[in-house]
Amino acid sequence: MNILTLFQKGGLAMLPLTGLSILALGTIFERAWFWYKMLDQESQIVHRILEAADQDWDLAAEVASRAKRSPIGRFLAAPLQLQQPDPELFRLALEAAAEEELANMRRGDKLLEAVIAISPLLGLLGTVLGLIQTLGNLRIGDLGTASTAGVSAGIGEALITTATGLIVAIAALAAYRVFQGLIFQQMKIFRRAGNQLELMYRQDWARRGLPTQSLR
């Protein structure tokens, strides 16, 4: 049985299920490309910025500015673009940038959550409608006769939408869990890199003996 035949036998519920599957696939591919680009050079970017910050803060700001195409680059560049902020303002800039980047990482999550929740219900609805149609054509007087030969086949066709809904939901759930795992790992990386950069800045600030609210 090919896909077109399955689609025809599945009934009207296959239309929204197809739409949800297309939306889910589009989101999964977009998020996969996003994570591929992000993880490709992330560790090198962090290393370059921290190494530059250990030598000169203006150089670190320049290196971070060149890495703004990467989320980790934008995150570390946020406080470095300020004009000699005090340590508290430096920390606040890091936190604000982290929130913005994490929000970007979560883009598409709501759509996948909706697909996970709605797809099985649509599949079940299609099955119920198919069973109603199949059993509605069955008369009690036909039980045990050749007229009921197609009932089992009709019930089998009605279950197509349930299987389709489950497949779409399972695929979306698997991708969703992978992306959530990547977000969790990024939270740890952002926290570690941000803490290292903030500690270096606080040490430099204390060494220079600048007042707490000094601004350049």
Side-chain angles (χ1 to χ4, degrees):
M1 188 180 296
N2 56 41
I3 296 177
L4 182 59
T5 303
L6 285 173
F7 187 89
Q8 292 173 342
K9 292 185 177 182
L12 293 177
M14 294 296 287
L15 290 173
L17 282 173
T18 301
L20 287 176
S21 65
I22 292 173
L23 288 175
L25 283 175
T27 301
I28 291 170
F29 285 132
E30 188 274 332
R31 290 288 86 192
W33 179 245
F34 168 84
W35 286 108
Y36 172 78
K37 293 190 299 181
M38 179 175 179
L39 300 176
D40 188 31
Q41 297 181 337
E42 185 177 53
S43 59
Q44 294 91 328
I45 291 173
V46 173
H47 177 73
R48 288 199 301 266
I49 293 175
L50 293 179
E51 186 177 35
D54 191 45
Q55 302 173 13
D56 181 76
W57 288 103
D58 290 333
L59 176 61
E62 182 181 347
V63 172
S65 180
R66 292 199 299 265
K68 279 189 173 181
R69 287 182 296 179
S70 169
I72 193 71
R74 292 191 296 270
F75 165 65
L76 296 177
L80 296 174
Q81 303 303 314
L82 302 176
Q83 297 298 309
Q84 197 173 340
D86 64 78
E88 287 304 311
L89 184 58
F90 192 93
R91 179 180 60 83
L92 289 174
L94 279 172
E95 291 178 354
E99 289 294 328
E100 182 177 353
E101 294 305 326
L102 289 174
N104 289 333
M105 293 178 201
R106 294 189 177 99
R107 189 174 61 188
D109 283 0
K110 295 300 182 182
L111 177 58
L112 290 179
E113 289 173 359
V115 171
I116 293 167
I118 296 174
S119 294
L121 296 178
L122 280 174
L124 182 59
L125 175 62
T127 294
V128 170
L129 293 177
L131 289 175
I132 290 174
Q133 181 178 2
T134 299
L135 297 178
N137 295 328
L138 179 64
R139 291 175 297 183
I140 296 179
D142 293 335
L143 294 177
T145 67
S147 301
T148 61
V151 172
S152 59
I155 293 175
E157 292 176 2
L159 292 173
I160 290 174
T161 54
T162 294
T164 302
L166 290 174
I167 290 171
V168 173
I170 291 170
L173 178 60
Y176 177 81
R177 297 308 302 169
V178 170
F179 296 148
Q180 291 301 303
L182 290 172
I183 291 173
F184 180 74
Q185 291 298 321
Q186 285 304 304
M187 290 174 64
K188 295 195 295 185
I189 293 173
F190 272 49
R191 186 180 298 113
R192 182 167 60 247
N195 288 342
Q196 288 178 331
L197 187 66
E198 182 185 356
L199 179 60
M200 294 170 64
Y201 188 80
R202 286 182 179 274
Q203 289 175 334
D204 182 66
W205 185 273
R207 184 171 59 251
R208 287 181 292 165
L210 294 173
T212 304
Q213 297 298 328
S214 175
L215 292 175
R216 188 166 54 189

